[in-house]
Amino acid sequence: MLKDIIISFQAYFQAHRFIREQKLWKWILVPGILYAGLFLISFIYFSQTSTAFIEWFILKTGLRSWVERLNNGSLSFLLAMGTLLVWLISLLFYFSLFKYLFLIVGSPIFSYLSEKTESIMEGREYPFSFSQLLHDMKRGIFLALRNSFWQSIYVLTILVVSFIPLIGWLTPFMALLIECYYYGFAMLDYSMERMKMSVPRSINYIGNHKGLAIGNGMVFYLLHLLPIVGWVLAPSYAVVAATISIQPLKKAEQSISNSTTTGI
């Protein structure tokens, strides 16, 4: 899995060179600016509502007054850490829902960008088909809803575990890994669809190469540490990087297939 994660990291550097050489900036900036604007607005709204809700919950359950009555420094520290952990996991949960909504809305652009990347790399054209576009959109929406459901189950379970002292401190890392995997999964599936893989087969294939999905998602989230610029570049860079990262596997499978055919 580590090898696949490294491949995904390297694919982002290759994606940057590829985008610059092929002058694909309009396909990067248009969805990127829309994404960055929506992300900023929704993040501000989330911060305000989530903080207010957590504070209301602590007061309503009596946790705050109970800790203050005991006047215990260790308990106060645990309450502060627990509050922070719940906020971080809630942030990831919000980000997950926001991400899937954007994936559904942007699926036509992302599908086209992935296809264009592959057509340039392989030196072949994919003729435009409106029916194929509709098929890609339906598949993207289905997978987004499916992944959103399972990821929500995992994150809500992790949210419960986060209340356990000490063990709960690991939960943001666990939630982040799950978030990275499912985002990378969505980016890789555009290539799976062009390889004529059914949804179940795509799920199995990507499950066998978890590192590619996790690595793609990791860099996507790391780009968010660069305010504005990183937010604009992250979505489309992830698509191009995922398409590039799957090429070595695709070529290896084709080589095996050709060898088998020749042997027969």
Side-chain angles (χ1 to χ4, degrees):
M1 188 169 76
L2 180 60
K3 179 182 177 181
D4 285 341
I5 290 176
I6 292 172
I7 289 173
S8 283
F9 273 60
Q10 293 173 336
Y12 271 86
F13 293 100
Q14 295 169 0
H16 177 69
R17 290 196 299 270
F18 182 85
I19 291 166
R20 188 179 57 194
E21 291 170 359
Q22 301 299 326
K23 297 179 174 60
L24 298 175
W25 290 112
K26 65 179 179 180
W27 299 106
I28 306 301
L29 297 178
V30 173
I33 291 172
L34 177 61
Y35 173 86
L38 293 174
F39 174 73
L40 179 61
I41 293 169
S42 56
F43 179 75
I44 293 172
Y45 175 76
F46 164 82
S47 298
Q48 294 174 343
T49 55
S50 180
T51 302
F53 173 77
I54 293 172
E55 188 64 28
W56 172 84
F57 179 81
I58 292 174
L59 292 173
K60 200 71 174 176
T61 55
L63 276 173
R64 176 80 66 191
S65 58
W66 179 68
V67 171
E68 288 176 352
R69 280 200 310 272
L70 292 176
N71 194 26
N72 186 298
S74 298
L75 282 177
S76 298
F77 173 75
L78 288 175
L79 178 62
M81 286 296 298
T83 301
L84 177 62
L85 290 174
V86 171
W87 189 88
L88 286 173
I89 295 171
S90 299
L91 171 62
L92 286 173
F93 185 62
Y94 140 78
F95 200 10
S96 173
L97 297 178
F98 169 77
K99 169 196 69 183
Y100 284 119
L101 178 61
F102 192 79
L103 282 175
I104 290 172
V105 174
S107 61
I109 296 176
F110 293 150
S111 178
Y112 175 79
L113 182 57
S114 177
E115 181 181 287
K116 188 171 183 64
T117 299
E118 187 172 296
S119 68
I120 293 173
M121 293 184 69
E122 296 184 354
R124 64 186 230 181
E125 287 293 326
Y126 289 93
F128 176 77
S129 170
F130 186 72
S131 60
Q132 183 63 41
L133 178 62
L134 288 177
H135 172 75
D136 293 345
M137 289 175 63
K138 289 179 182 177
R139 180 181 173 118
I141 292 170
F142 171 77
L143 278 174
L145 293 174
R146 179 253 179 203
N147 290 349
S148 177
F149 171 77
W150 283 110
Q151 186 173 339
S152 297
I153 296 295
Y154 293 138
V155 172
L156 288 174
T157 303
I158 289 172
L159 185 60
V160 174
V161 175
S162 69
F163 287 98
I164 302 175
L166 300 181
I167 296 177
W169 295 0
L170 299 175
T171 52
F173 178 71
M174 295 164 57
L176 183 60
L177 278 181
I178 292 172
E179 180 72 22
C180 289
Y181 172 75
Y182 277 109
Y183 187 83
F185 182 105
M187 298 296 98
L188 291 168
D189 186 68
Y190 293 117
S191 294
M192 302 296 101
E193 197 283 329
R194 284 192 302 278
M195 292 167 69
K196 305 302 180 185
M197 288 190 185
S198 63
V199 171
R201 190 181 170 201
S202 175
I203 293 170
N204 182 64
Y205 188 90
I206 297 174
N208 291 331
H209 297 281
K210 291 183 179 68
L212 291 180
I214 292 173
N216 184 276
M218 278 184 177
V219 182
F220 170 78
Y221 281 102
L222 286 173
L223 283 172
H224 284 74
L225 298 177
L226 296 173
I228 309 301
V229 175
W231 304 348
V232 171
L233 298 180
S236 297
Y237 265 55
V239 178
V240 177
T243 307
I244 291 174
S245 69
I246 208 71
Q247 288 300 303
L249 292 176
K250 188 176 178 181
K251 289 179 180 178
E253 288 193 355
Q254 289 174 344
S255 177
I256 294 173
S257 177
N258 292 337
S259 299
T260 304
T261 304
T262 303
I264 293 174

